[in-house]
Amino acid sequence: MNSVWLAIIGFIVFALGYRYYSKFIAEKIYRLDPDYVTPAHKYDDGVDFVPTKKVVLWGHHFSSVAGASPILGPAIALYWGWGPAFLWVILGTVFAAGVHDFGTLVLSVRNKGQSIGTLTDRLIGKRAKMLFLFIILILVLMVNAVFAWVISNLFIQFPAAVIPIFIEIPIAIWIGYAVYKRKAKMLVPSLIALAVMYGSAVLTSKLPFLQIDLVRYFGGADNTVLFGLDGVSMSFFVWIVILLVYCYFASTLPVWKLLQPRDYINSHQLVVGLIMLYAGLLVLRPELTAPMTNEVSDVSWFPLLFITIACGAISGFHGLVASGTTSKQLDKETDARFVGYLGSVGEGILALISIIAVATLFANAGDFRAAYSDFGAASLGGMSNFINGAAQLATGIAIPADIARTIVTVIVVSFAATSLDTSLRLMRYIISEIGSEYNFKPLTNMHVATSVAVVSSAALVLIPKGPNGFGSGGYLLWPLFGTSNQLLAGVSLLLISVWLKKQGRNFFYTFVPMIFIFSMTLYAMFVQVVFQWSGLGETDANMLLFILGGIIFVFAFWIILEAFRVFFKTDKTPPIDTSM
Amino acid sequence: MDILEKFKKVITIYDEILQQPHRTEIAREMREEEDLFTLLCFSEMLGLPNPAFYYTLELYPFVIERFHDWHLRMGMEKSPLNGIRCC
């Protein structure tokens, strides 16, 4: 089958979903009111609460939620063939993610622009909020540990990408300074920055001496360098230390100095990447060489597919963004459909190109099965497969393969680096919040909280021996990432359902995806904790995953019980905004 | 609308999209700086000795509106300082 059909079918389903399903949800379920005074107008302070045009807000929302996860998840999930991944991405986007992202936005708008965390506290209770915080803490710890390894791995595999990535840092600092202190415009300098980065990518691809290849510097993979570490392990160690030191500074500096201008450049990269890959797809029109379904014996697609592809189908993280910043800037309540629903469609489009890039990479199904021999190999090679597949698509618009590979690596590392330092910053906030909640003052200090975040992430990365060798300790916990993220999505859907029920509305359309997400998540957790990690099944015991997975499972169950208690409570006085 | 104008409009929207988060962060930084400045101006009234008090006194007519915005933002309906009656 030609891959263009996959893109066409995906786009048609997304378009129909937006045109009809989101309209139905907006009018009959959320009952958007064009005259409702949104928090952006009510509390307009020129900073957080600012009425914003819907197109601008959509772009901002989409660039905030788009990252490496909608690429990585589908690239791994192709292990079960492209069919299940494709179906889950398009149907999940239309019936689950769209309703979820759109709903959290509306719920937050109807509640003074408060975030999902605050709403959990108000609607479910303080206990649930603390459980919630601990789950998010483990979630961001996993992101730090895994993304540090992913970026290091990409630097080792694609050394030509190192210089273009590192060039971005001084340029971003310069742009931040120019914009903040000299009130300069950002568009032209950031486009120049992009040109410099891609220009250097061309140079490093063609000139091997510009490739920062640590493995070669350390005398090759077989050479023992220090402390018994070979060339590859030592390279991982050096890159991980550099990345975590960078993250310390990136997450403690004022955001306008580095993070904001760098995100600005990365937003261009998102646009460039999507245009480059879809244009390449239209020109090349490659055949799908991966099988539609792949029979496997180690890990069943049901229920693991639904937690492997989180971003790109449905992701709890989107609810945090929608209720955290987007809801405070919504001009009219009716704009929520465009911003929230189309934001998740944007993620779906990114996930779709990830599926197509990997499914067209291999020469035939045999090559695919060799690369995706087991789930471990799929997890390990997912990102590299995407890069190679995407580079192959990019050759369709006359970019030489080696340069395309470097540029795609630069784009992916930029997204992953953004995820890494955002999650480290988030971890710092959570540690501070837990410190103030339990009245432990030292943790509320920015440098102490950041140090705790960096040291614990480094410990997880470097101390345990991970499945992918030295430095991949984060992968030990990675199976918990999807479950924690989907749990967050389930809680958000439940909050929306509680709100709809209290308004006397039909909550079927949010309740059904919620039941689906909760059941898949708990089922997957139960199977993994009991049959994979406890040692009761065929595999050996993994006590670290068993204990942490068990804790998250209990927390998840506890939150759900607390939430259902609230859901079925016959409370006549709704604790939420009734001004509708 | 000709093609050039359409293109310009698209570029403007694109720029606005990218500016959005930066506008927020820069506005927040500015607001924090202003809050600190306001605190310095009114520090005498909070019991903090201010050697530049006679000079900051002259600034009151200019900062009074900002002060009003500040106490509203902090959730105080009326001015918290007896000496300053902005509302």
Side-chain angles (χ1 to χ4, degrees), chain A residues 45-48 50 52-53 55-56 59 180 183 186-187 254-256 260 264 267-268 329, chain B residues 11 13-31 33 73:
Chain A
D45 63 356
V47 180
D48 296 307
V50 181
T52 307
K53 276 191 277 189
V55 179
V56 173
Y180 186 60
K183 311 277 180 281
M186 254 187 178
L187 185 63
V255 283
W256 60 266
Q260 288 293 325
Y264 197 95
S267 302
H268 290 304
Q329 299 172 2
Chain B
I11 293 293
I13 290 173
Y14 178 68
D15 193 31
E16 269 185 67
I17 289 172
L18 299 178
Q19 289 277 4
Q20 186 65 9
H22 309 284
R23 185 203 54 71
T24 306
E25 287 308 328
I26 289 170
R28 184 175 288 115
E29 289 277 332
M30 296 288 201
R31 190 171 72 180
E33 272 185 18
R73 187 154 44 82

